[in-house]
């Protein structure tokens, strides 16, 4: 369940909103996002809609700016995409910009293990900038299997995992720039796995 879902949307925005009090006592929804950015790709999960609507349309040009997230599981993100037969990502949401949001106590009200404040999964051309994250169960910002992204001016005060985590699976993360991360985290300030051409500048631990 989500507060807001963008599914196959071109040019959408969420600005100046407050989202609070998402709960998962079962531990099975620890990936649930307050704002979910998805694509039209899985009729099996939503059989009450027309199957012809599931044509793989991705999101393009979504902006999320100046919002306040409190006691959510995941503030902003995605958790799915389709793949080609060789396992590479077939559908990528494009041009997502996330900026000037605050996140407090992500994932502290779920028994599940995941719960990043921001989770980008299979995106192209993403910008995450000027975010303040206070107490997150896992990672502050997680980038999975994404291309050409920028993460800058992020403050993380208390992460059970990493402040910023970049990782690949079906494909490597490629062409990312990470700068000006200030954080206190249990594990790494910035962790990078299975990635190519990633730059890190101007980061400091607390």
């Amino acid at each position: 369940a989500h507060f807001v879902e963008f599914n196959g949307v071109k040019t959408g925005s969420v600005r100046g909103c407050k989202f609070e009090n998402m709960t998962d006592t079962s531990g099975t929804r620890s990936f649930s996002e307050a704002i979910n950015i998805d694509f039209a790709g899985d009729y099996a999960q939503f059989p009450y809609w027309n199957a012809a609507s599931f044509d793989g349309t991705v999101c393009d040009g979504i902006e999320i700016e100046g919002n306040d997230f409190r006691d959510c599981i995941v503030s902003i993100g995605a958790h799915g995409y389709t793949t080609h037969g060789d396992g590479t990502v077939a559908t990528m949401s494009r041009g997502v910009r996330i900026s000037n949001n605050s996140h407090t106590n992500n994932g502290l009200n779920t028994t599940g293990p995941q719960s990043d404040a921001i989770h980008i999964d299979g995106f192209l051309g993403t910008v995450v900038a000027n975010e303040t994250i206070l107490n997150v169960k896992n990672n502050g910002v997680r980038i999975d299997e994404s291309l050409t992204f920028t993460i800058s001016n992020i403050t993380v005060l208390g992460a059970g995992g990493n402040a910023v985590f970049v990782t690949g699976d079906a494909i490597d993360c490629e062409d990312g720039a990470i700068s000006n991360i200030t954080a206190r985290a249990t594990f790494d300030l910035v962790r990078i796995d299975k990635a190519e051409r990633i730059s890190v500048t101007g980061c400091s631990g607390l």
Side-chain angles (χ1 to χ4, degrees), residues 12-128:
S13 64
V14 179
R15 293 188 174 93
C17 296
K18 184 174 183 178
F19 302 94
E20 59 184 343
N21 298 328
M22 296 183 76
T23 302
D24 168 40
T25 56
S26 69
T28 61
R29 297 291 298 178
S30 60
F31 55 84
S32 287
E33 304 89 356
I35 300 177
N36 184 43
I37 302 168
D38 214 335
F39 70 100
D42 196 346
Y43 174 67
Q45 290 191 24
F46 302 100
Y48 36 82
W49 290 338
N50 190 317
S53 301
F54 292 87
D55 58 1
T57 300
V58 298
C59 286
D60 186 353
I62 304 298
E63 296 188 9
I64 301 171
E65 180 181 12
N67 302 287
D68 183 12
F69 299 87
R70 295 177 180 268
D71 300 299
C72 293
I73 299 172
V74 177
S75 296
I76 305 161
H79 53 263
Y81 50 82
T82 59
T83 58
H84 296 295
D86 62 0
T88 57
V89 176
T91 53
M92 281 191 162
S93 289
R94 301 181 293 266
V96 173
R97 183 177 182 88
I98 299 166
S99 62
N100 299 299
N101 302 286
S102 63
H103 315 258
T104 304
N105 297 338
N106 285 98
L108 302 190
N109 49 0
T110 175
T111 57
Q114 296 174 329
S115 306
D116 310 307
I118 298 170
H119 182 198
I120 302 303
D121 193 5
F123 283 13
L124 171 66
T126 303
V127 174
V128 181

